[in-house]
Amino acid sequence: MQAKPETQTTGRFVDWFPYLPWLTLGVMLLSLIAAAFLERTLISTNVTVDPDAPTELQPIQLKKEPFGALRIDVAASLPSNQWVTYEIQVKDKDGKILASGIKQAWAESGTWAEEGESGTWAEDDLLGGLDVRTNQAEPVTIALDVLEYSDTAGRELDTAVPFQITVKNGVVDDRYLWAGVFGTFAIAFITLFSVSSTGKMVMNKSNRDSDVTGRGTMGGSDRLLRVVVKVKSDEHSPRGLNVRLTMNDENGEQIYTKTYPVDVSLSKNEGRVTGGNSTLTKFFILEARGSYGFHVEVTPDLSIDRTRILIRENARTLYPVEVTTIKTADVH
Amino acid sequence: MFTKLFAAAALAIAGITLYSGFTQQGAMVLRQENQDQYWARYDTAPSGRYRGGVWVASPDRSAYGSFRGGGPGAGK
C-alpha cells in the first residue's frame, strides 16, 4: 500500500441551493421598493365632520387594476380624553354605500403614582384604513361619518371632529411583503447552517480522554468526507492545541498523518476560565471505498476532558474548500 | 437535500407573499359576497356585508353606545 495525499482547493462540492433563499430575499426587498413607485396619491386633505352628517370628498374614478388597490387612510385629531367612532364609506354614483368600515378611535392621558413615583401618560389609537378593490370601472365617492363622539366620562359631544384623509390608488399591501421578507430571511439563515450537516454520518466517536479511535466503511472518488474533531478542555486549557489526525487502511497501515494547530475558544465566568472548546474541520476524498481507521490525538493532553470525531460522507460545502485526496495504490 | 427543500420553501413564501401583496388579496372587493380574505388595517372593521351584490349595513352599526376607549385603565 502506498498513499499519495494531494491537497487542492476545489469548488466541486459547493452546494449552490443555500444561496437561492438569499437571492429570493433580495427580490422581496426590491419588490418593496418597486411597490412604493406604483402608488399614486389622489386626494390628501383635512376635513371636519359633524356627528351624523357625513362629509364627502370629490368623486374619483375607480377601475379594475392589475396591481394594488384603492387605499383610504384616515387620521382623527382628538384632544385628550375623547373617543370617536367613525365610518369610512365608499359610495357609488347614486350615493348608495358600496362598502364601509368602522374605526373606534380614542385619545387618553392621565397621571400615575406608584411607590412614591409619579408621572403622566398619553396614549391614542386614531388611525383607520380601508383598502378597496373593484372588478368594474365606476366613479365612487369617499365619505366620512362620525357615528359617536364623546368624552371619557361618556358625555356626548356635538362638535365637529377634524380628520386628515389620504386616498391613494395602486397601493400594494406591504404587510404581505414584509411577511415574505422575514420568512425568506429566516429560511436563508437556516439553509446556510444546514449545509454542514449534509450527508450521512459514518463515524461519531467520543472518548473522555485526549485521543479517540474509530473505524468505518467509507470513501469513493465522488464522496466528500467532512471530518470534524471537537475537543473539550478544562479550566487549565491553553489557548491553542495540536490535533494529530491519522488514517489507516484496512490492513492497519498508516496512509495519512498530519498535525493541525487549533485555537481554543475559552469560556469564562467572572473573568476566570472555566473551560475551552476547539473544533477542527477538514475535508478528504478517499478514492478507494473501504474500511478506514481514524485516530485523533490532542496535545498537550493534560487539560483535555473529551475528544470527539464526526465524519459525514457525501458532504457539501458553502464555498470552495481545501480537499485532501488520498489515492491508495492497491497491491492485492 | 435539505438545502433544496429550504430553497423551495423560500421560493414558495416569496411567490405567495408577492402575489398576495401586489394583487391586494387583503382588500375589500366591491360587490363580492365572500370577504374571507379581508385583512383589516388599523382595526378598521367592515360595518356591513354584501347580499346579492348590495351592501347591507350591519344591524349593530348604530348601536355604538357600548364603545369604551383604550388606555391603561381599559379592560379592568
Side-chain angles (χ1 to χ4, degrees):
Chain A
M1 285 283 208
Q2 196 187 0
K4 301 177 208 152
E6 205 175 88
T7 302
Q8 62 172 42
T9 302
T10 173
R12 227 179 105 197
F13 299 99
V14 171
D15 184 355
W16 296 105
F17 283 103
Y19 294 103
L20 197 57
W22 292 101
L23 201 71
T24 315
L25 176 65
V27 170
M28 289 301 310
L29 291 171
L30 281 179
S31 61
L32 264 175
I33 297 167
F37 283 103
L38 284 176
E39 62 184 52
R40 306 171 298 281
T41 303
L42 303 179
I43 303 171
S44 180
T45 184
N46 293 303
V47 295
T48 57
V49 182
D50 282 310
D52 298 318
T55 298
E56 292 186 356
L57 304 181
Q58 74 250 36
I60 48 174
Q61 187 66 33
L62 204 58
K63 63 180 201 307
K64 189 173 165 63
E65 308 264 1
F67 299 119
L70 183 80
R71 170 163 291 184
I72 306 156
D73 274 328
V74 178
S77 312
L78 285 187
S80 237
N81 298 316
Q82 290 190 355
W83 303 325
V84 63
T85 303
Y86 62 83
E87 188 176 52
I88 304 167
Q89 301 171 342
V90 180
K91 294 177 174 178
D92 67 7
K93 60 183 190 300
D94 302 323
K96 282 209 315 219
I97 292 179
L98 269 177
S100 57
I102 278 182
K103 168 69 181 188
Q104 299 177 329
W106 52 269
E108 290 185 19
S109 66
T111 56
W112 56 269
E114 206 170 274
E115 291 170 9
E117 287 180 72
S118 65
T120 59
W121 58 266
E123 279 183 51
D124 59 44
D125 179 12
L126 300 168
L127 300 177
L130 201 60
D131 282 1
V132 174
R133 267 197 300 142
T134 186
N135 289 317
Q136 65 185 67
E138 62 184 308
V140 295
T141 304
I142 291 153
L144 207 58
D145 195 3
V146 170
L147 302 182
E148 189 172 295
Y149 184 31
S150 65
D151 62 15
T152 42
R155 276 188 301 268
E156 281 213 18
L157 300 168
D158 206 28
T159 49
V161 185
F163 290 95
Q164 156 80 41
I165 305 180
T166 311
V167 181
K168 290 176 177 174
N169 209 355
V171 178
V172 172
D173 197 341
D174 63 358
R175 293 174 299 179
Y176 290 102
L177 303 188
W178 281 112
V181 166
F182 289 116
T184 49
F185 185 63
I187 288 182
F189 249 95
I190 296 168
T191 316
L192 216 52
F193 287 108
S194 73
V195 174
S196 60
S197 57
T198 304
K200 186 184 158 211
M201 187 91 81
V202 290
M203 188 179 293
N204 184 359
K205 291 258 174 180
S206 181
N207 191 18
R208 289 176 174 279
D209 207 342
S210 63
D211 64 344
V212 63
T213 303
R215 181 167 277 277
T217 302
M218 66 192 79
S221 56
D222 286 332
R223 296 181 174 186
L224 182 70
L225 299 173
R226 178 190 288 265
V227 177
V228 179
V229 176
K230 289 183 175 176
V231 183
K232 232 177 161 49
S233 40
D234 66 15
E235 67 270 23
H236 304 296
S237 174
R239 293 188 159 271
L241 293 168
N242 290 311
V243 175
R244 193 168 76 151
L245 182 65
T246 308
M247 291 180 211
N248 300 311
D249 67 9
E250 55 194 13
N251 300 319
E253 290 197 42
Q254 184 176 308
I255 52 171
Y256 181 83
T257 185
K258 194 170 177 183
T259 303
Y260 301 96
V262 292
D263 291 329
V264 180
S265 126
L266 297 172
S267 25
K268 286 177 188 172
N269 186 18
E270 289 171 2
R272 290 180 50 149
V273 174
T274 55
N277 285 292
S278 14
T279 306
L280 173 76
T281 303
K282 287 285 152 190
F283 296 96
F284 293 94
I285 293 170
L286 297 170
E287 286 216 321
R289 187 164 180 80
S291 166
Y292 291 93
F294 283 76
H295 181 68
V296 175
E297 226 177 301
V298 186
T299 49
D301 67 346
L302 213 61
S303 64
I304 310 303
D305 281 346
R306 185 185 283 269
T307 309
R308 190 174 177 195
I309 184 167
L310 299 119
I311 303 177
R312 280 179 190 277
E313 195 173 64
N314 281 328
R316 305 300 299 269
T317 65
L318 263 182
Y319 37 81
V321 291
E322 235 179 43
V323 177
T324 303
T325 305
I326 299 169
K327 295 175 183 157
T328 42
D330 213 332
V331 291
H332 293 300
Chain B
M1 177 61 191
F2 281 117
T3 57
K4 267 180 217 169
L5 287 176
F6 285 137
L11 283 177
I13 288 175
I16 291 165
T17 55
L18 282 175
Y19 172 79
S20 303
F22 275 81
T23 61
Q24 270 278 8
Q25 292 300 300
M28 187 178 283
V29 187
L30 295 183
R31 296 190 182 84
Q32 184 179 292
E33 296 207 2
N34 182 358
Q35 301 283 347
D36 290 349
Q37 299 248 54
Y38 180 73
W39 186 3
R41 293 175 53 245
Y42 306 121
D43 292 326
T44 307
S47 53
R49 61 192 304 178
Y50 289 104
R51 290 231 176 81
V54 178
W55 184 256
V56 180
S58 28
D60 58 341
R61 176 185 164 281
S62 52
Y64 266 90
S66 61
F67 167 56
R68 289 285 175 272
K76 284 183 183 168

